[in-house]
Amino acid sequence: MSRFFNAINTHLRRDFAAYRAIVCIPLRTINYTSQKHVGNGDSTMVLGKRWKDAAETVIIGGGCVGVSLAYHLAKAGQKDVVLLEKSELTAGSTWHAAGLTTYYHPGINLKKVHYHSIKLYESLEAETGQAVGFHQPGSIRIASTPVRVDELKYQMARTHWHPTPQWLITPEKIKELFPLLNMDKVLAGLYNPGDGHIDPYSLTMALAAGARMYGAQIYNPALVSGLTPTSDGKWDVQTPHGTIRANRIVNATGFWAREVGQQIGFDHPTIPVHHQYVVTATVPEVKALKAELPVIRDLEGSYYLRQERDGLLFGPYEKEEKMVLQDSWVRDGVPPGFGKELFESDLDRIMHHVEMAMEMVPVLKNADIINIVSGPITYTPDLLPMVGPHQGARNYWTAIGFGYGVIHAGGIGKFLSDWIVTGEPPYDLIECDPNRYGKWTTVPYLCAKARESYGFNNVVGYPKEERFAGRPTNRTSGVYELLKGKASMGFHAGWEQPHWFYKPGDNAGYKWMEEEVAEGAYDVDISNVTEDIGVLGVAGPKARDVLQKLTQEDMSDASFKFLHCKPIQLGGINLRAIRISYTGELGWELYIPHKDMAAVYQAIMAAGEDEGIDNFGTYAMSSLRLEKGFRGWGAEMNCDTNPLEAGLDYFIKLNKHADFIGKAALQEIKAKGLKRKLSYITMETDDVDPEGNETIWLNGKVVGNTTSGAYSYTTQQSLAFAYLPVELCSVGQKVEVEMLGRKYPAMVVQEPLVLTEPTRTRLQKKSKA
């Protein structure tokens, strides 16, 4: 048996209390009564500092994320930035983090967060004079199966159009960079130069030094004991030292986020997860190296491993059936005084990963263990943080739910600071919108989904993959029971929505509006009715005939025009109908109370039997809308684009007398001229189709990216929308689209390939005339 294995079974199984006395920094006793206000003329002194009774922004929480936001706001010039920390800076999850930093992220927008974090950390020591302990030996994600190699190729296709440095490297190059690896199973690696690790404590202290240098005030210990909204949208923040009147508050309290949120009526869906990592003593083979080893992530073994001084640090992600949630904190709250404490380790949970790590890095077998850390990190159901203003409470912002707070801290601090200072987010980060959750996010759902997300940390990620833990929630429409056995359901903000319907033989398988109303003093009431009203879409050339059978309302073109909305009665049920054309065919969206949806659905299906009515899901709709050249929100249209780039000029009247939101900005964009535009492309592919965010090449250079794509069953070819430089948008322009490691020929074509129903009708009338 190896020394590493023996160490785990003996050294680390000794009395945990003795171990914790070595590695834990106990919280000091906080005596608030001895730290009350001390008057000094017109000033009030608290904790040795002048107390601020008013602030532009009050940040609650002194981990790396909260301190980063204080630094960025103060550096941006905002006056009166205050951070309140209940005990010590870094208490919670920051102080015990492994400190990994990486450019890599499988998503699109969070790549920018990682990029900004690393660039900040590279310069922070020079700016503040505080050492940060930043190591950048690079990192390698190891692929040891053919499927993993395809996954790495897929990620490469989505990365080239970003500034992120990332390369697919051979086993020979991997061995050169990490000579201690057993190469028997290694097929390829995804290499990010500039990745590495940073000391979380030093990072936070450097950010705090920078925040103070630019004028922010940090108070600790300063427990927030109450939050009271005022009639003018401000907040009274109560502490044992006094009250601060804040223009806005930001909850950045890590695993205390639920408790702070509950003070104002929110149950934020965050839960602590037990995460363990092991640190070895000096390993002679490591000490003998001339350069620091890159961080490796063995995807099949589901662990990370990096150099720690002359030893190694190894951290696994257990499967969902073995990982541990601290769900008692969700029910009962975080124990008073917990801050720089650890959990007792449970080594049985990680033995499988230990064995795989020893096989991949054989020097581990003879390594002695000096430390093991088992601490809480915070998870949301989908593993992404909750960042931005929260609906339902004016000027309440969140920066919570960070499972990877160290790499997110710098970029999120900059992102939120820009949003707060300018009033708009600097780029689209909709996947981190805190309002993606709601009352449907129950504790059982939170626990099931967090367990699944942690356990799936390093599994192969497939496009359009669905995960089913905690589903369905109570957000099921009135037709869910009728359709669940007929369709493959997708999950969208808690709702179960048909992606595609089975056929015989198939296998089952930002600003956004409350703030605008308040700032503009509009006489408008906003109500979120998503829990009460569902939507059915009826589309196709015979849609009018089917609906007309069920209503006395005139559904003709003359009476019910495109994009008009009116209340109608359908089959004796009151609802609202909007004339739309989301597949390029005649259609209506029907907005129906959930209790009536099943009856309306069944009435429509019965009425359309003679016309051959059938169901369709979102995948079919996506393919159809691409054939007709319809843009999609979140793809062709998002916060990183504008309507002129997206080719929506037809819907905008810049010469109209009335003002509207965005008019001045669009006029300025038009005057400056566009640098890129949305193009419509076809591709010559084999067994792979575009889905969006693939890199586009021309003459060996990256020139753009796709936004969405699909296979066109009408024209029998692959289609995509893509943003290209204006000089490359002409019909006939040839480019290449990267997919799974290959570059496929593509060409800009005139849109659409399939005419819409209104266009066909207009051309038919013109032909007859």
Side-chain angles (χ1 to χ4, degrees):
M1 186 177 289
S2 70
R3 289 170 59 189
F4 187 82
F5 203 94
N6 277 325
I8 288 177
N9 282 279
T10 55
H11 176 81
L12 295 176
R13 289 180 184 270
R14 63 189 175 183
D15 180 67
F16 183 73
Y19 165 72
R20 194 165 75 175
I22 297 173
V23 301
C24 293
I25 306 172
L27 283 172
R28 63 176 177 238
T29 302
I30 301 171
N31 183 1
Y32 286 112
T33 58
S34 67
Q35 302 183 52
K36 295 285 189 179
H37 294 189
V38 178
N40 182 16
D42 293 332
S43 64
T44 302
M45 301 299 291
V46 171
L47 303 171
K49 306 168 187 174
R50 183 185 177 95
W51 180 256
K52 286 183 175 290
D53 293 320
E56 184 72 20
T57 301
V58 167
I59 302 161
I60 309 169
C64 58
V65 173
V67 179
S68 173
L69 177 56
Y71 160 84
H72 281 97
L73 282 172
K75 187 175 182 178
Q78 185 173 106
K79 305 299 181 183
D80 299 323
V81 176
V82 172
L83 184 144
L84 302 174
E85 162 55 43
K86 69 189 295 288
S87 56
E88 302 176 44
L89 297 184
T90 76
S93 296
T94 298
W95 74 276
H96 63 73
L100 299 180
T101 56
T102 177
Y103 284 111
Y104 176 87
H105 194 277
I108 297 301
N109 299 325
L110 278 164
K111 283 179 170 55
K112 299 175 184 177
V113 172
H114 288 211
Y115 182 85
H116 289 309
S117 290
I118 288 177
K119 291 307 175 187
L120 170 65
Y121 301 165
E122 288 175 342
S123 62
L124 191 60
E125 183 172 338
E127 179 183 3
T128 65
Q130 298 283 319
V132 296
F134 194 21
H135 297 247
Q136 294 184 276
S139 77
I140 308 171
R141 301 176 70 83
I142 302 294
S144 51
T145 67
V147 172
R148 288 289 188 186
V149 176
D150 279 348
E151 182 184 27
L152 300 191
K153 291 177 179 177
Y154 173 78
Q155 288 300 334
M156 283 303 304
R158 297 159 63 87
T159 299
H160 279 130
W161 57 281
H162 287 272
T164 300
Q166 183 169 293
W167 312 103
L168 192 64
I169 59 175
T170 64
E172 292 75 19
K173 183 63 176 179
I174 296 171
K175 183 68 173 178
E176 176 187 333
L177 293 169
F178 201 114
L180 304 182
L181 278 185
N182 173 8
M183 301 298 295
D184 289 349
K185 296 182 180 179
V186 177
L187 300 179
L190 200 66
Y191 177 52
N192 290 98
D195 282 10
H197 55 95
I198 195 168
D199 174 41
Y201 180 87
S202 298
L203 167 65
T204 306
M205 293 306 163
L207 289 167
R212 295 185 183 102
M213 181 172 70
Y214 293 116
Q217 190 67 271
I218 299 175
Y219 297 109
N220 69 290
L223 173 72
V224 172
S225 55
L227 296 168
T228 305
T230 64
S231 59
D232 58 352
K234 297 182 179 181
W235 290 88
D236 283 338
V237 183
Q238 288 102 37
T239 79
H241 312 297
T243 297
I244 303 175
R245 175 67 59 88
N247 289 357
R248 72 186 56 79
I249 56 175
V250 183
N251 182 349
T253 55
F255 53 69
W256 289 280
R258 284 181 69 88
E259 296 178 44
V260 172
Q262 285 167 352
Q263 294 187 30
I264 54 176
F266 294 120
D267 284 313
H268 295 311
T270 60
I271 188 170
V273 173
H274 290 223
H275 180 64
Q276 302 183 95
Y277 64 82
V278 175
V279 183
T280 76
T282 295
V283 176
E285 294 88 344
V286 174
K287 186 174 183 178
L289 295 171
K290 295 181 179 180
E292 183 175 353
L293 292 168
V295 180
I296 65 164
R297 290 172 174 85
D298 181 358
L299 302 178
E300 294 303 309
S302 191
Y303 64 85
Y304 57 83
L305 183 145
R306 68 169 176 83
Q307 186 171 334
E308 174 70 7
R309 295 191 173 90
D310 291 328
L312 296 170
L313 183 152
F314 155 78
Y317 289 96
E318 309 94 305
K319 296 295 184 183
E320 57 183 310
E321 64 271 13
K322 287 192 173 184
M323 59 86 67
V324 174
L325 300 173
Q326 194 64 29
D327 51 0
S328 64
W329 290 7
V330 176
R331 298 190 307 269
D332 308 322
V334 183
F338 192 100
K340 286 195 171 178
E341 306 291 324
L342 294 174
F343 299 131
E344 187 169 358
S345 61
D346 181 359
L347 299 165
D348 289 337
R349 297 206 318 262
I350 65 172
M351 291 311 301
H352 170 70
H353 307 280
V354 168
E355 292 168 359
M356 295 193 74
M358 289 191 298
E359 182 181 1
M360 183 64 77
V361 187
V363 296
L364 269 178
K365 297 177 182 179
N366 297 315
D368 289 322
I369 309 302
I370 58 171
N371 269 347
I372 185 168
V373 174
S374 178
I377 57 175
T378 309
Y379 265 43
T380 61
D382 61 9
L383 189 53
L384 295 176
M386 300 169 63
V387 178
H390 204 292
Q391 292 176 1
R394 285 182 63 191
N395 296 316
Y396 172 62
W397 295 60
T398 61
I400 58 177
F402 292 90
Y404 307 99
V406 172
I407 185 54
H408 286 158
I412 288 295
K414 180 69 164 63
F415 176 85
L416 278 177
S417 173
D418 288 352
W419 193 347
I420 289 171
V421 171
T422 68
E424 292 187 5
Y427 50 87
D428 198 317
L429 206 57
I430 192 68
E431 61 266 54
C432 296
D433 184 354
N435 306 293
R436 67 188 186 273
Y437 298 119
K439 294 180 180 178
W440 59 271
T441 317
T442 62
V443 171
Y445 171 82
L446 165 63
C447 293
K449 214 64 183 175
R451 184 177 294 279
E452 178 188 63
S453 294
Y454 186 90
F456 277 55
N457 243 300
N458 287 309
V459 301
V460 176
Y462 294 96
K464 298 182 173 66
E465 181 181 20
E466 289 292 323
R467 296 178 179 173
F468 297 95
R471 294 171 52 185
T473 69
N474 58 16
R475 273 190 164 180
T476 54
S477 72
V479 295
Y480 173 72
E481 292 297 327
L482 294 172
L483 299 180
K484 67 179 183 180
K486 302 177 181 179
S488 175
M489 292 289 182
F491 191 71
H492 302 271
W495 294 103
E496 298 289 334
Q497 184 181 40
H499 274 175
W500 56 278
F501 284 86
Y502 308 142
K503 293 297 182 184
D506 285 345
N507 293 322
Y510 274 147
K511 186 173 180 181
W512 316 74
M513 291 184 288
E514 290 174 344
E515 183 180 346
E516 197 63 47
V517 169
E519 291 181 359
Y522 297 109
D523 185 16
V524 174
D525 291 324
I526 297 177
S527 298
N528 188 341
V529 296
T530 190
E531 306 292 346
D532 307 315
I533 296 177
V535 184
L536 290 176
V538 185
K542 299 179 181 179
R544 176 186 289 110
D545 300 335
V546 172
L547 293 179
Q548 193 68 75
K549 296 179 184 181
L550 300 171
T551 184
Q552 297 298 313
E553 184 71 35
D554 184 358
M555 306 296 284
S556 68
D557 279 334
S559 179
F560 208 140
K561 298 183 183 298
F562 179 57
L563 291 182
H564 280 214
C565 173
K566 64 173 68 176
I568 67 172
Q569 194 175 73
L570 201 71
I573 295 173
N574 294 320
L575 50 87
R576 284 189 173 272
I578 297 180
R579 169 84 182 277
I580 48 82
S581 183
Y582 54 10
T583 64
E585 297 298 325
L586 177 70
W588 279 267
E589 280 185 348
L590 309 177
Y591 291 79
I592 311 161
H594 283 302
K595 63 183 179 63
D596 297 324
M597 279 190 76
V600 173
Y601 169 81
Q602 290 172 320
I604 293 171
M605 296 303 287
E609 189 171 350
D610 291 343
E611 285 80 5
I613 195 169
D614 205 350
N615 298 297
F616 70 94
T618 57
Y619 289 169
M621 186 172 73
S622 179
S623 177
L624 289 169
R625 68 100 176 166
L626 280 165
E627 290 178 345
K628 311 296 174 55
F630 283 19
R631 280 74 170 149
W633 177 251
E636 289 71 50
M637 303 177 290
N638 58 36
C639 293
D640 296 332
T641 62
N642 65 68
L644 303 183
E645 288 181 335
L648 298 173
D649 317 46
Y650 176 78
F651 295 94
I652 303 167
K653 294 182 179 179
L654 290 176
N655 59 353
K656 70 189 298 183
H657 177 71
D659 195 11
F660 56 85
I661 297 171
K663 181 179 180 181
L666 286 175
Q667 288 174 329
E668 182 179 352
I669 291 170
K670 186 175 181 179
K672 290 182 178 179
L674 299 178
K675 294 183 178 180
R676 65 172 191 168
K677 288 201 70 172
L678 190 67
S679 298
Y680 195 59
I681 62 174
T682 60
M683 274 166 283
E684 300 174 20
T685 63
D686 38 38
D687 60 348
V688 60
D689 295 306
E691 64 163 27
N693 295 308
E694 291 91 2
T695 300
I696 298 180
W697 297 79
L698 178 65
N699 298 328
K701 294 183 179 180
V702 174
V703 294
N705 64 279
T706 62
T707 54
S708 56
Y711 184 76
S712 164
Y713 289 88
T714 305
T715 66
Q716 298 286 293
Q717 60 186 325
S718 293
L719 305 177
F721 274 122
Y723 276 108
L724 293 171
V726 290
E727 63 271 18
L728 300 181
C729 292
S730 301
V731 171
Q733 174 68 55
K734 294 183 178 180
V735 292
E736 294 177 307
V737 178
E738 181 181 356
M739 294 185 289
L740 292 182
R742 286 184 56 189
K743 296 174 183 176
Y744 291 87
M747 185 171 67
V748 177
V749 298
Q750 182 66 46
E751 61 173 293
L753 286 181
V754 179
L755 297 177
T756 62
E757 186 265 348
T759 302
R760 293 199 306 270
T761 301
R762 187 168 62 251
L763 291 176
Q764 288 169 0
K765 290 180 179 179
K766 184 176 180 180
S767 177
K768 290 179 181 179

